[in-house]
């Protein structure tokens, strides 16, 4: 339910003179927080983790394990940015570089 109650008379309309409800005004001040991972990303992380665990126990192919570790390392970027504060961006960039290098190294190992 959107309500129309303002303490300040000048905030009742926007810069074009269109009436604005208090709820719209409050939503503009406090935007919704975006989750760290989208549901599709969480599904991909779960599938890759399952494949990694399966390959760990079966011991079939080390290449698949390296690909999975590369992907999971790449997906650690948002957590590094969230948890490490001002050093999170540098750690996220390091994780990105490491995961790309690991992925390219795995592709090189496949074609050798």
């Amino acid at each position: 339910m959107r309500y129309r109650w303002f303490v300040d008379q000048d905030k009742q309309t926007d810069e074009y003179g269109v009436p604005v409800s208090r709820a719209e005004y409050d939503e503009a001040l406090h935007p919704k927080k975006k989750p760290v991972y989208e549901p599709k990303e969480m599904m991909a992380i779960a599938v890759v983790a399952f494949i990694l665990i399966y390959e760990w126990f079966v011991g079939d192919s080390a290449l698949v394990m390296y690909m999975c570790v590369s992907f999971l390392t790449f997906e650690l970027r948002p957590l590094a940015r969230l948890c490490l504060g001002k050093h999170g961006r540098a750690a996220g960039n390091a994780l990105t570089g490491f995961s790309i290098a690991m992925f390219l190294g795995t592709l090189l190992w496949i074609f050798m």
Side-chain angles (χ1 to χ4, degrees), residues 33-44:
K33 293 183 180 179
K34 184 181 175 194
V36 177
Y37 293 112
E38 297 292 326
K40 293 177 184 177
E41 287 177 313
M42 289 298 295
M43 180 61 85

Side-chain angles (χ1 to χ4, degrees), residues 2 6 41 52 66 86 101:
R2 299 210 175 234
F6 282 96
E41 287 177 313
L52 178 65
Y66 283 119
K86 67 178 184 174

Side-chain angles (χ1 to χ4, degrees), residues 88-104:
R89 184 172 179 204
N93 290 341
L95 286 171
T96 301
F98 179 73
S99 66
I100 290 173
M102 189 176 220
F103 179 77
L104 292 177

Side-chain angles (χ1 to χ4, degrees), residues 51-108:
I51 292 170
L52 178 65
I53 291 170
Y54 176 77
E55 288 293 325
W56 182 283
F57 285 116
V58 172
D60 189 25
S61 174
L63 297 173
V64 176
M65 287 178 56
Y66 283 119
M67 292 286 239
C68 291
V69 170
S70 171
F71 177 76
L72 292 175
T73 304
F74 184 77
E75 288 296 328
L76 282 176
R77 293 174 307 121
L79 289 178
R81 289 187 179 139
L82 184 69
C83 296
L84 296 178
K86 67 178 184 174
H87 302 294
R89 184 172 179 204
N93 290 341
L95 286 171
T96 301
F98 179 73
S99 66
I100 290 173
M102 189 176 220
F103 179 77
L104 292 177
T106 306
L107 285 179
L108 182 69

